[in-house]
Amino acid sequence: GYAPPPKNGVEQKRPGRPLNITSLVRLSSAVPNQIVVTWAPEIGKTYSMSVYLVRQLTSPLLLQRLRMKGIRNPDHSRALIKEKLTADPDSEIATTSLRVSLMCPVSYRIHKILVDSRMSL
């Protein structure tokens, strides 16, 4: 859960991937969690930090959930996209574009598993 130590004389940069602090977190209402972040502020630079609580799911469980939902009508998907792109007069934020993948996530995952298994042979 810690960033790698800086090398002598070299400015420390943020890690290229998120820090995994799972082993440091206590998932109990009786024990509070506290995160302390320290950095050297620089004029003109802004910083942000995020902490996500996620649950890792297995591929069979995800596939089971997808099968339970069933197949959607293409018109339903079109309506959802149009809804996202429709301007809301009460909102200060407007969606000007929406990038979506047309590839089936299940097919893509199966393809990725097959390609990865071939690479390891």
Side-chain angles (χ1 to χ4, degrees), residues 26-33:
R26 309 297 183 272
L27 295 177
S28 167
S29 59
V31 180
N33 289 289

Side-chain angles (χ1 to χ4, degrees), residues 76-88 93-100:
H76 177 73
S77 297
R78 285 188 198 99
L80 284 174
I81 293 170
K82 286 179 182 177
E83 180 185 328
K84 295 282 185 193
L85 292 173
T86 304
D88 181 9
I93 300 172
T95 305
T96 56
S97 66
L98 182 63
R99 191 173 188 181
V100 296

Side-chain angles (χ1 to χ4, degrees), residues 32-53:
N33 289 289
Q34 183 176 7
I35 297 175
V36 178
V37 179
T38 57
W39 73 94
E42 295 180 34
I43 296 174
K45 287 194 175 185
T46 57
Y47 299 90
S48 66
M49 184 186 100
S50 301
V51 176
Y52 297 97
L53 177 63

Side-chain angles (χ1 to χ4, degrees), residues 5-120:
K7 296 178 183 174
N8 290 337
V10 178
E11 179 183 340
Q12 184 172 3
K13 295 184 178 182
R14 68 176 179 85
R17 61 185 186 280
L19 296 175
N20 185 354
I21 60 170
T22 304
S23 63
L24 306 171
V25 176
R26 309 297 183 272
L27 295 177
S28 167
S29 59
V31 180
N33 289 289
Q34 183 176 7
I35 297 175
V36 178
V37 179
T38 57
W39 73 94
E42 295 180 34
I43 296 174
K45 287 194 175 185
T46 57
Y47 299 90
S48 66
M49 184 186 100
S50 301
V51 176
Y52 297 97
L53 177 63
V54 296
R55 178 175 294 146
Q56 188 171 2
L57 302 173
T58 63
S59 297
L61 180 62
L62 290 173
L63 187 57
Q64 176 189 9
R65 288 183 181 181
L66 281 172
R67 286 182 176 151
M68 284 176 31
K69 285 187 175 186
I71 298 173
R72 283 188 181 165
N73 185 333
D75 293 332
H76 177 73
S77 297
R78 285 188 198 99
L80 284 174
I81 293 170
K82 286 179 182 177
E83 180 185 328
K84 295 282 185 193
L85 292 173
T86 304
D88 181 9
D90 296 333
S91 176
E92 295 179 9
I93 300 172
T95 305
T96 56
S97 66
L98 182 63
R99 191 173 188 181
V100 296
S101 172
L102 299 178
M103 185 178 286
C104 170
V106 175
S107 299
Y108 176 75
R109 184 67 184 149
I110 291 170
H111 171 74
K112 186 166 174 48
I113 290 170
L114 290 174
V115 169
D116 289 345
S117 65
R118 286 185 197 142
M119 294 174 87
S120 63

